[in-house]
């Protein structure tokens, strides 16, 4: 019956403006509470070497274990945290927690593991950012090249002069910089040249249709070529199918993340997964060429 009444009908079920504002206020109060009561947890998505399919690192992705609502994904609360001024506190917690965990893993059987942490635009503007990173690296004694920060193209657009100087300071600390969701923003080639970036992550929207859409194929090929010409590592995100992996292996992409290998995992599951992957699992993609 609902269908017969026309598709516009669903608007009657949308929450009113007032309800939405109230809902947001509730999330805001709950989030403050969550930060103080250990309700946030990091999950880790493995990053694998495209060719060998061995684990080289992980990306930390925050989850909120809400006492009543269950697990909430970052898409629902990062923007709220930004708007209500909680993002820097949240971000500092994520950074410290990810680095603390990385140190433990490096001392316990994963000596070369690298860690990527996402930064939202507001965090990148924070005057405390470089200091927080410096202190975290000192406390956790992570060697240079272990921590990578993922930023989006919009960060570079907002205030390019400031961005260059912040990135240079981070680079001095031995921190890698990845451009996340590459291709979805407005970054120009000029930016890639000017900013001390170390890797680009091809957005999963391009990877998705790599084997069906010639345009996406062309974009992925171009980004891999561009990245390599500029001596950047190229990571493909959102790899879900063997055919996508094989395509990227043939094109010389450097690293892979995606559900084909694993979704983001809580700490103990990640540990078990890495052990299995590196010891027992067959390769999923192309056979490795025999050394001549
Ligand atoms: P992102 O950094 O681009 O992270 C990748 C997102 O894609 C993750 O969603 C991940 O679970 C998902 N993903 C990974 N592989 C696949 C795949 O093969 N297929 C599909 N369909 N999805 C895949 P998640 O964890 O919900 O995070 C969403 C976004 O929230 C992240 O996008 C990032 O921008 C932001 N975020 C997550 N954690 C943090 C954090 O600690 N701080 C900040 N500032 N932002 C965060
Ligand atoms: Mg990311
Ligand atoms: Mg991404
Ligand atoms: Mg994203």
């Amino acid at each position: 019956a609902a269908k017969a009444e026309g598709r516009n009908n669903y608007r009657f079920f949308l929450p009113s403006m007032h309800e939405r504002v109230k809902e947001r206020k509730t999330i805001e109060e709950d989030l403050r509470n969550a930060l103080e009561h250990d309700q946030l947890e990091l999950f880790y998505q493995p990053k694998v070497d495209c060719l060998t399919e061995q684990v080289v690192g992980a990306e930390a992705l925050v989850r909120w274990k809400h006492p009543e609502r269950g697990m909430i994904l970052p898409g629902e609360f990062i923007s709220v945290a930004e708007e209500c001024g909680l993002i820097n506190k949240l971000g500092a917690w994520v950074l410290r927690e990810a680095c603390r965990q990385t140190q433990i893993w490096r001392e316990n059987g994963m000596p070369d593991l690298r860690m990527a942490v996402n930064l939202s635009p507001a965090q990148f503007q924070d005057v405390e950012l470089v200091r927080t990173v410096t202190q975290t690296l000192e406390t956790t004694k992570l060697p240079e090249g272990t921590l990578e920060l993922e930023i989006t193209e919009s960060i570079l657009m907002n205030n390019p002069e400031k961005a260059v100087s912040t990135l240079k300071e981070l680079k001095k600390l031995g921190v890698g910089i990845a451009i996340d969701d590459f291709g979805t923003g407005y970054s120009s080639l000029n930016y890639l040249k000017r900013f001390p970036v170390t890797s680009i992550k091809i957005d999963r929207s391009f990877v998705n249709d790599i084997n069906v859409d010639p345009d996406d194929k062309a974009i992925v090929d171009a980004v891999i070529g561009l990245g390599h010409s500029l001596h950047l590592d190229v990571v493909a995100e959102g790899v879900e199918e063997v055919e996508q992996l094989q395509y990227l292996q043939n094109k010389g992409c450097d690293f892979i993340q995606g559900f084909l290998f694993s979704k983001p995992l809580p700490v103990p599951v990640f540990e078990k997964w890495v052990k299995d992957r590196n010891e027992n699992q067959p390769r999923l993609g192309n056979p490795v060429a025999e050394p001549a």
Side-chain angles (χ1 to χ4, degrees):
K3 208 171 182 182
E5 282 158 24
R7 50 168 30 207
N8 272 343
N9 233 15
Y10 74 85
R11 72 193 152 91
F12 293 114
F13 300 112
L14 285 177
S16 70
M17 185 64 117
H18 174 71
E19 277 165 54
R20 266 183 287 161
V21 170
K22 220 174 79 188
E23 151 104 355
R24 211 162 170 89
K25 269 262 165 285
T26 314
I27 300 181
E28 190 180 318
E29 280 160 27
D30 283 8
L31 191 54
R32 269 179 221 288
N33 192 44
L35 271 163
E36 269 143 41
H37 294 92
D38 291 336
Q39 288 173 15
L40 298 181
E41 181 176 336
L42 295 185
F43 276 35
Y44 296 91
Q45 185 177 37
K47 183 190 282 182
V48 304
D49 183 291
C50 192
L51 207 59
T52 66
E53 299 181 14
Q54 297 276 297
V55 182
V56 295
E59 176 176 1
L61 295 155
V62 69
R63 268 84 182 106
W64 177 5
K65 297 211 156 157
H66 194 285
E68 284 118 43
R69 294 175 58 199
M71 191 162 83
I72 308 180
L73 292 171
E76 268 195 71
F77 63 90
I78 290 291
S79 62
V80 181
E82 290 206 310
E83 282 163 31
C84 68
L86 281 173
I87 191 66
N88 291 335
K89 203 171 171 200
L90 189 153
W93 179 83
V94 169
L95 186 69
R96 291 197 192 103
E97 179 58 19
C99 290
R100 188 190 67 80
Q101 185 61 63
T102 309
Q103 183 196 23
I104 294 174
W105 278 334
R106 289 175 68 98
E107 288 169 357
N108 293 277
M110 299 182 234
D112 302 317
L113 193 81
R114 282 174 279 174
M115 183 59 64
V117 171
N118 292 284
L119 286 189
S120 69
Q123 287 176 269
F124 197 74
Q125 312 292 339
D126 180 15
V127 289
E128 296 288 318
L129 175 68
V130 173
R131 196 192 328 204
T132 307
V133 174
T134 308
Q135 280 173 355
T136 307
L137 291 176
E138 274 168 12
T139 319
T140 51
K141 300 185 184 62
L142 293 181
E144 289 197 0
T146 304
L147 176 66
E148 182 176 63
L149 296 175
E150 299 192 358
I151 61 175
T152 49
E153 290 155 290
S154 63
I155 286 179
L156 308 179
M157 300 280 301
N158 293 344
N159 186 348
E161 268 66 49
K162 178 76 181 18
V164 170
S165 80
T166 305
L167 291 176
K168 281 185 175 156
E169 288 186 73
L170 292 170
K171 193 183 182 181
K172 268 192 259 165
L173 297 171
V175 174
I177 302 292
I179 311 273
D180 207 349
D181 309 334
F182 188 81
T184 59
Y186 298 92
S187 71
S188 70
L189 301 183
N190 186 35
Y191 278 1
L192 274 186
K193 198 182 102 181
R194 270 179 61 203
F195 293 97
V197 163
T198 45
S199 65
I200 44 184
K201 299 187 75 173
I202 308 174
D203 190 67
R204 73 163 187 266
S205 59
F206 304 117
V207 174
N208 233 331
D209 291 337
I210 216 172
N211 287 305
V212 277
D213 185 335
D215 290 343
D216 286 341
K217 199 186 286 242
I219 289 170
V220 168
D221 292 357
V223 172
I224 294 174
L226 172 70
H228 286 167
S229 314
L230 296 171
H231 309 290
L232 306 174
D233 283 335
V234 180
V235 185
E237 51 179 26
V239 177
E240 296 182 355
E241 292 160 12
V242 174
E243 292 73 22
Q244 295 163 346
L245 172 68
Q246 288 172 331
Y247 184 85
L248 293 158
Q249 287 176 330
N250 288 334
K251 293 291 173 174
C253 184
D254 301 293
F255 302 107
I256 301 283
Q257 278 178 275
F259 294 172
L260 174 66
F261 285 99
S262 173
K263 56 188 187 185
L265 304 169
V267 168
V269 187
F270 179 85
E271 289 169 355
K272 185 174 180 308
W273 191 90
V274 172
K275 209 167 176 304
D276 283 353
R277 176 82 242 150
N278 286 351
E279 287 170 10
N280 313 318
Q281 298 301 312
R283 294 178 79 265
L284 300 172
N286 295 333
V288 187
E290 290 293 328

